[in-house]
Amino acid sequence: MLESKQKNREVLLVCVEPGFGGQRIDNFLLRILKGVPRSYVYRILRRGEVRVNKGRKKVGYRLQEGDIVRIPPVRVAEEEVMPSVGKRQLEQLEQSIIYEDERLLVLSKPSGMAVHGGSGLSFGVIEAFRQLRPDQRQLELVHRLDRDTSGCLLISKKRSALRVLHELMRSNAIDKRYLALVSGKWHGDKADIDVPLLKNTLRGGERVVMVDPRGKQAQTRFRVRERFHRCTLLEARLMTGRTHQIRVHAAHLGTPILGDRKYGDQDANKAMHNQGLKRLFLHAESICFRWPDEKQDQVFQAPLETSLVNLLSSMKR
Protein backbone atom coordinates (compact mmCIF):
# COMPACT_ATOMS: atom_id res chain seq x y z
CA MET A 1 0.00 0.00 0.00
CA LEU A 2 1.44 3.33 -1.06
CA GLU A 3 0.55 6.08 1.38
CA SER A 4 0.96 9.83 0.96
CA LYS A 5 3.48 11.54 3.22
CA GLN A 6 0.75 13.37 5.11
CA LYS A 7 0.27 12.72 8.82
CA ASN A 8 -2.65 10.63 10.05
CA ARG A 9 -4.42 13.72 11.41
CA GLU A 10 -4.60 15.09 7.82
CA VAL A 11 -6.30 13.66 4.74
CA LEU A 12 -4.61 10.40 3.70
CA LEU A 13 -4.56 9.05 0.15
CA VAL A 14 -3.78 5.35 -0.26
CA CYS A 15 -3.29 3.49 -3.53
CA VAL A 16 -4.25 -0.22 -3.41
CA GLU A 17 -1.17 -2.17 -4.47
CA PRO A 18 -1.16 -5.44 -6.45
CA GLY A 19 -1.98 -8.32 -4.14
CA PHE A 20 -4.36 -6.31 -1.95
CA GLY A 21 -7.26 -6.33 -4.40
CA GLY A 22 -10.36 -8.14 -3.14
CA GLN A 23 -9.99 -7.02 0.48
CA ARG A 24 -13.04 -5.51 2.17
CA ILE A 25 -12.67 -1.80 2.71
CA ASP A 26 -13.43 -2.03 6.45
CA ASN A 27 -10.60 -4.54 7.00
CA PHE A 28 -8.32 -2.41 4.82
CA LEU A 29 -8.99 0.66 7.00
CA LEU A 30 -8.60 -1.26 10.27
CA ARG A 31 -5.13 -2.33 9.16
CA ILE A 32 -4.04 1.19 8.19
CA LEU A 33 -5.58 3.08 11.10
CA LYS A 34 -3.76 1.36 13.94
CA GLY A 35 -5.06 2.45 17.32
CA VAL A 36 -8.35 3.80 15.95
CA PRO A 37 -11.47 2.21 17.54
CA ARG A 38 -13.31 -0.19 15.26
CA SER A 39 -16.59 1.68 15.91
CA TYR A 40 -15.02 4.91 14.61
CA VAL A 41 -13.85 3.21 11.40
CA TYR A 42 -17.39 2.01 10.68
CA ARG A 43 -18.80 5.43 11.52
CA ILE A 44 -16.67 7.27 8.94
CA LEU A 45 -17.57 4.60 6.37
CA ARG A 46 -21.31 4.96 7.00
CA ARG A 47 -21.07 8.76 6.82
CA GLY A 48 -19.33 8.61 3.47
CA GLU A 49 -16.18 10.32 4.77
CA VAL A 50 -14.08 7.58 3.19
CA ARG A 51 -14.02 7.81 -0.62
CA VAL A 52 -12.79 5.35 -3.22
CA ASN A 53 -11.92 6.95 -6.56
CA LYS A 54 -13.83 10.02 -5.30
CA GLY A 55 -17.02 8.03 -4.67
CA ARG A 56 -18.76 6.68 -1.58
CA LYS A 57 -18.63 2.94 -0.89
CA LYS A 58 -20.49 0.60 1.45
CA VAL A 59 -18.80 -1.29 4.28
CA GLY A 60 -18.74 -4.54 2.28
CA TYR A 61 -17.07 -3.05 -0.83
CA ARG A 62 -14.06 -5.06 -2.00
CA LEU A 63 -11.17 -2.94 -3.18
CA GLN A 64 -9.58 -3.31 -6.61
CA GLU A 65 -5.94 -2.90 -7.58
CA GLY A 66 -5.21 0.74 -8.31
CA ASP A 67 -8.15 2.11 -6.31
CA ILE A 68 -7.36 5.43 -4.62
CA VAL A 69 -8.75 5.49 -1.09
CA ARG A 70 -9.26 8.87 0.58
CA ILE A 71 -9.21 8.66 4.38
CA PRO A 72 -10.36 11.71 6.39
CA PRO A 73 -8.31 13.28 9.21
CA VAL A 74 -8.04 10.81 12.10
CA ARG A 75 -6.25 11.15 15.42
CA VAL A 76 -4.09 8.14 16.21
CA ALA A 77 -2.18 7.68 19.47
CA GLU A 78 1.47 7.51 18.48
CA GLU A 79 2.27 4.65 20.84
CA GLU A 80 -0.53 2.54 19.33
CA VAL A 81 0.52 2.88 15.72
CA MET A 82 3.31 0.31 15.93
CA PRO A 83 2.81 -1.91 18.99
CA SER A 84 6.07 -3.43 20.15
CA VAL A 85 5.97 -7.13 20.94
CA GLY A 86 8.38 -8.46 23.55
CA LYS A 87 11.27 -10.74 22.63
CA ARG A 88 9.92 -13.61 24.70
CA GLN A 89 6.54 -13.57 22.95
CA LEU A 90 8.20 -13.37 19.53
CA GLU A 91 10.40 -16.37 20.31
CA GLN A 92 7.40 -18.30 21.61
CA LEU A 93 5.51 -17.68 18.37
CA GLU A 94 8.49 -18.60 16.19
CA GLN A 95 8.70 -21.92 18.03
CA SER A 96 4.96 -22.50 17.63
CA ILE A 97 5.11 -22.68 13.80
CA ILE A 98 4.22 -26.20 12.67
CA TYR A 99 4.16 -25.59 8.89
CA GLU A 100 5.08 -22.90 6.39
CA ASP A 101 5.22 -22.53 2.63
CA GLU A 102 4.93 -19.67 0.13
CA ARG A 103 1.15 -19.34 0.66
CA LEU A 104 0.47 -20.24 4.24
CA LEU A 105 1.77 -20.26 7.78
CA VAL A 106 0.30 -22.67 10.37
CA LEU A 107 1.03 -22.37 14.05
CA SER A 108 -0.04 -23.95 17.30
CA LYS A 109 -1.32 -20.84 19.08
CA PRO A 110 -0.54 -20.76 22.79
CA SER A 111 -3.42 -20.43 25.24
CA GLY A 112 -3.69 -16.94 26.71
CA MET A 113 -2.58 -15.08 23.57
CA ALA A 114 -5.16 -13.19 21.52
CA VAL A 115 -5.10 -13.54 17.74
CA HIS A 116 -5.22 -9.75 17.27
CA GLY A 117 -4.99 -6.56 19.30
CA GLY A 118 -7.96 -4.60 20.55
CA SER A 119 -10.19 -4.41 23.64
CA GLY A 120 -7.31 -3.14 25.73
CA LEU A 121 -4.67 -5.38 24.10
CA SER A 122 -1.88 -3.62 22.23
CA PHE A 123 -1.04 -6.67 20.12
CA GLY A 124 -1.97 -10.22 19.23
CA VAL A 125 -0.62 -13.04 17.08
CA ILE A 126 -1.05 -11.21 13.77
CA GLU A 127 0.65 -8.01 15.00
CA ALA A 128 3.51 -10.09 16.36
CA PHE A 129 4.05 -11.89 13.04
CA ARG A 130 3.98 -8.60 11.15
CA GLN A 131 6.77 -7.46 13.45
CA LEU A 132 8.64 -10.72 12.92
CA ARG A 133 8.18 -10.59 9.14
CA PRO A 134 8.22 -6.89 8.14
CA ASP A 135 8.92 -7.76 4.49
CA GLN A 136 5.81 -9.94 4.22
CA ARG A 137 3.23 -7.20 3.89
CA GLN A 138 0.22 -9.39 3.10
CA LEU A 139 0.06 -11.44 6.31
CA GLU A 140 -3.57 -11.88 7.39
CA LEU A 141 -5.51 -14.08 9.80
CA VAL A 142 -7.55 -16.69 7.93
CA HIS A 143 -9.80 -17.36 10.94
CA ARG A 144 -9.84 -16.74 14.68
CA LEU A 145 -9.44 -18.61 17.94
CA ASP A 146 -10.56 -17.42 21.36
CA ARG A 147 -7.75 -15.99 23.46
CA ASP A 148 -7.82 -18.94 25.88
CA THR A 149 -8.10 -21.61 23.17
CA SER A 150 -4.88 -23.18 21.91
CA GLY A 151 -4.08 -25.01 18.70
CA CYS A 152 -4.13 -24.76 14.91
CA LEU A 153 -4.30 -21.23 13.52
CA LEU A 154 -3.90 -20.33 9.84
CA ILE A 155 -2.21 -17.15 8.62
CA SER A 156 -2.16 -16.43 4.89
CA LYS A 157 0.96 -14.94 3.33
CA LYS A 158 -0.73 -13.79 0.11
CA ARG A 159 -4.05 -12.12 -0.59
CA SER A 160 -4.74 -14.76 -3.26
CA ALA A 161 -4.37 -17.53 -0.68
CA LEU A 162 -6.63 -15.68 1.76
CA ARG A 163 -9.38 -15.41 -0.86
CA VAL A 164 -9.18 -19.15 -1.61
CA LEU A 165 -9.25 -20.13 2.06
CA HIS A 166 -12.20 -17.85 2.80
CA GLU A 167 -14.11 -19.39 -0.08
CA LEU A 168 -13.34 -22.87 1.28
CA MET A 169 -14.64 -21.76 4.67
CA ARG A 170 -17.84 -20.38 3.15
CA SER A 171 -18.45 -23.70 1.35
CA ASN A 172 -17.73 -25.67 4.54
CA ALA A 173 -14.72 -27.33 2.87
CA ILE A 174 -12.36 -26.81 5.83
CA ASP A 175 -12.57 -29.49 8.51
CA LYS A 176 -11.70 -28.10 11.96
CA ARG A 177 -11.65 -30.40 14.99
CA TYR A 178 -11.15 -29.54 18.63
CA LEU A 179 -10.47 -31.41 21.86
CA ALA A 180 -12.52 -30.38 24.88
CA LEU A 181 -12.52 -31.82 28.39
CA VAL A 182 -16.01 -31.36 29.78
CA SER A 183 -17.50 -31.75 33.24
CA GLY A 184 -19.80 -34.76 33.74
CA LYS A 185 -20.36 -38.09 32.03
CA TRP A 186 -21.66 -38.83 28.56
CA HIS A 187 -23.83 -41.95 28.22
CA GLY A 188 -23.85 -42.00 24.43
CA ASP A 189 -20.91 -41.83 22.05
CA LYS A 190 -21.86 -38.77 19.99
CA ALA A 191 -24.27 -35.88 19.60
CA ASP A 192 -25.04 -33.46 16.79
CA ILE A 193 -26.09 -30.07 18.15
CA ASP A 194 -28.00 -27.61 15.98
CA VAL A 195 -29.20 -24.72 18.15
CA PRO A 196 -28.99 -21.00 17.26
CA LEU A 197 -26.63 -18.66 19.08
CA LEU A 198 -27.20 -14.98 19.80
CA LYS A 199 -24.04 -12.90 20.23
CA ASN A 200 -23.39 -10.08 22.70
CA THR A 201 -26.37 -10.43 25.01
CA LEU A 202 -25.97 -9.03 28.51
CA ARG A 203 -25.85 -11.14 31.64
CA GLY A 204 -25.05 -9.20 34.78
CA GLY A 205 -23.30 -6.53 32.72
CA GLU A 206 -21.12 -9.09 30.93
CA ARG A 207 -21.34 -9.71 27.19
CA VAL A 208 -21.95 -13.37 26.42
CA VAL A 209 -23.22 -15.66 23.66
CA MET A 210 -26.46 -17.48 24.46
CA VAL A 211 -28.73 -20.12 22.94
CA ASP A 212 -31.59 -18.09 21.52
CA PRO A 213 -34.07 -18.72 18.66
CA ARG A 214 -33.34 -15.18 17.40
CA GLY A 215 -29.67 -16.08 16.89
CA LYS A 216 -27.74 -17.49 13.95
CA GLN A 217 -27.70 -21.17 13.06
CA ALA A 218 -24.87 -23.03 14.79
CA GLN A 219 -23.94 -26.69 14.35
CA THR A 220 -21.40 -28.73 16.28
CA ARG A 221 -20.73 -32.48 16.10
CA PHE A 222 -19.45 -33.99 19.33
CA ARG A 223 -17.88 -37.43 19.72
CA VAL A 224 -16.51 -39.10 22.85
CA ARG A 225 -12.76 -39.70 22.76
CA GLU A 226 -12.20 -40.91 26.32
CA ARG A 227 -14.17 -41.28 29.56
CA PHE A 228 -12.91 -40.43 33.02
CA HIS A 229 -14.43 -40.62 36.50
CA ARG A 230 -16.20 -37.24 36.54
CA CYS A 231 -15.41 -35.80 33.13
CA THR A 232 -15.29 -36.69 29.44
CA LEU A 233 -12.82 -35.90 26.67
CA LEU A 234 -14.72 -34.91 23.53
CA GLU A 235 -13.84 -34.26 19.93
CA ALA A 236 -15.82 -31.31 18.57
CA ARG A 237 -16.18 -30.70 14.84
CA LEU A 238 -17.35 -27.27 13.78
CA MET A 239 -19.95 -27.20 11.02
CA THR A 240 -20.42 -23.43 11.46
CA GLY A 241 -18.08 -20.85 12.96
CA ARG A 242 -19.94 -18.82 15.57
CA THR A 243 -18.30 -16.97 18.45
CA HIS A 244 -17.79 -19.27 21.49
CA GLN A 245 -19.78 -21.96 19.65
CA ILE A 246 -18.21 -25.07 21.19
CA ARG A 247 -18.20 -23.56 24.67
CA VAL A 248 -21.87 -22.56 24.57
CA HIS A 249 -23.04 -25.80 22.95
CA ALA A 250 -21.13 -27.89 25.51
CA ALA A 251 -22.73 -25.92 28.34
CA HIS A 252 -26.15 -26.28 26.67
CA LEU A 253 -25.72 -30.08 26.87
CA GLY A 254 -25.13 -29.82 30.62
CA THR A 255 -21.44 -30.69 30.29
CA PRO A 256 -19.54 -27.36 30.20
CA ILE A 257 -15.88 -27.24 29.25
CA LEU A 258 -13.58 -27.40 32.26
CA GLY A 259 -11.62 -24.24 32.96
CA ASP A 260 -14.30 -22.10 31.25
CA ARG A 261 -14.85 -19.12 33.54
CA LYS A 262 -17.60 -17.61 31.37
CA TYR A 263 -19.86 -20.56 30.61
CA GLY A 264 -18.52 -23.25 32.94
CA ASP A 265 -19.29 -24.78 36.33
CA GLN A 266 -17.40 -22.96 39.11
CA ASP A 267 -17.25 -25.93 41.49
CA ALA A 268 -16.01 -28.31 38.77
CA ASN A 269 -13.48 -25.71 37.63
CA LYS A 270 -12.17 -25.33 41.17
CA ALA A 271 -11.78 -29.08 41.61
CA MET A 272 -9.87 -29.40 38.32
CA HIS A 273 -7.74 -26.37 39.16
CA ASN A 274 -6.60 -28.26 42.27
CA GLN A 275 -5.62 -31.12 39.96
CA GLY A 276 -3.49 -28.81 37.83
CA LEU A 277 -5.83 -27.36 35.17
CA LYS A 278 -4.90 -23.67 35.00
CA ARG A 279 -6.58 -22.81 31.67
CA LEU A 280 -9.57 -23.51 29.44
CA PHE A 281 -9.35 -27.11 28.19
CA LEU A 282 -10.22 -26.36 24.57
CA HIS A 283 -7.65 -27.12 21.88
CA ALA A 284 -7.87 -26.81 18.08
CA GLU A 285 -6.33 -30.20 17.40
CA SER A 286 -6.45 -30.38 13.61
CA ILE A 287 -7.43 -28.60 10.43
CA CYS A 288 -7.84 -30.15 6.98
CA PHE A 289 -8.59 -28.76 3.53
CA ARG A 290 -7.61 -29.16 -0.13
CA TRP A 291 -6.33 -26.39 -2.36
CA PRO A 292 -8.31 -26.11 -5.61
CA ASP A 293 -6.81 -28.18 -8.46
CA GLU A 294 -4.66 -30.22 -6.05
CA LYS A 295 -5.13 -33.95 -5.48
CA GLN A 296 -4.15 -34.29 -1.82
CA ASP A 297 -5.56 -32.81 1.36
CA GLN A 298 -3.52 -30.49 3.53
CA VAL A 299 -3.72 -31.85 7.09
CA PHE A 300 -2.22 -30.06 10.07
CA GLN A 301 -2.18 -31.17 13.71
CA ALA A 302 -1.19 -29.25 16.82
CA PRO A 303 -0.06 -31.28 19.85
CA LEU A 304 -1.59 -30.71 23.27
CA GLU A 305 0.62 -28.66 25.57
CA THR A 306 2.48 -30.64 28.21
CA SER A 307 0.30 -29.51 31.13
CA LEU A 308 -2.84 -30.90 29.46
CA VAL A 309 -1.13 -34.18 28.53
CA ASN A 310 0.03 -34.58 32.13
CA LEU A 311 -3.47 -33.85 33.43
CA LEU A 312 -5.03 -36.55 31.25
CA SER A 313 -2.31 -39.00 32.27
CA SER A 314 -2.93 -38.36 35.95
CA MET A 315 -6.67 -38.92 35.55
CA LYS A 316 -6.04 -42.26 33.82
CA ARG A 317 -4.00 -43.38 36.81
Side-chain angles (χ1 to χ4, degrees), residues 181-222:
L181 186 67
V182 301
S183 174
K185 293 185 177 182
W186 270 47
H187 299 291
D189 291 328
K190 59 184 179 180
D192 290 351
I193 308 303
D194 186 355
V195 293
L197 300 179
L198 185 64
K199 184 180 178 182
N200 286 343
T201 56
L202 289 175
R203 184 178 64 190
E206 181 182 19
R207 294 197 177 276
V208 296
V209 176
M210 299 182 70
V211 171
D212 192 299
R214 297 170 298 168
K216 294 182 178 180
Q217 181 191 29
Q219 295 178 299
T220 309
R221 292 180 179 176
F222 291 102

Side-chain angles (χ1 to χ4, degrees), residues 125-148:
V125 169
I126 189 62
E127 289 84 6
F129 269 101
R130 287 170 182 162
Q131 184 173 321
L132 277 168
R133 312 282 181 86
D135 295 334
Q136 296 179 3
R137 303 180 62 192
Q138 298 183 31
L139 292 176
E140 296 286 352
L141 290 168
V142 175
H143 60 108
R144 299 182 181 185
L145 290 178
D146 291 346
R147 182 177 181 179
D148 294 327

Side-chain angles (χ1 to χ4, degrees), residues 216-250:
K216 294 182 178 180
Q217 181 191 29
Q219 295 178 299
T220 309
R221 292 180 179 176
F222 291 102
R223 181 171 68 89
V224 173
R225 281 280 194 93
E226 197 163 357
R227 303 176 193 273
F228 300 98
H229 178 50
R230 293 180 180 174
C231 54
T232 308
L233 184 66
L234 301 178
E235 173 191 283
R237 183 183 178 191
L238 285 178
M239 309 307 293
T240 54
R242 309 302 178 202
T243 300
H244 297 174
Q245 179 175 316
I246 297 173
R247 297 164 65 183
V248 179
H249 277 176

Side-chain angles (χ1 to χ4, degrees), residues 260-283:
D260 193 338
R261 290 176 289 182
K262 187 181 288 282
Y263 306 104
D265 182 294
Q266 292 184 3
D267 293 334
N269 286 347
K270 184 177 180 181
M272 290 305 295
H273 187 274
N274 293 335
Q275 287 189 254
L277 182 62
K278 311 298 183 185
R279 49 156 289 189
L280 173 72
F281 200 125
L282 182 60
H283 177 73

Side-chain angles (χ1 to χ4, degrees), residues 18-67:
F20 286 89
Q23 186 176 28
R24 280 175 52 123
I25 191 170
D26 53 345
N27 293 329
F28 181 82
L29 292 172
L30 287 166
R31 177 164 183 172
I32 293 175
L33 300 176
K34 305 293 186 182
V36 174
R38 185 179 293 262
S39 59
Y40 184 82
V41 169
Y42 285 104
R43 188 182 312 144
I44 61 177
L45 274 169
R46 287 194 300 269
R47 290 178 176 176
E49 296 178 43
V50 176
R51 300 295 177 104
V52 179
N53 303 327
K54 299 183 180 181
R56 298 176 63 154
K57 297 294 180 183
K58 295 183 178 180
V59 171
Y61 173 74
R62 294 189 179 274
L63 294 164
Q64 307 297 315
E65 279 184 28
D67 278 352

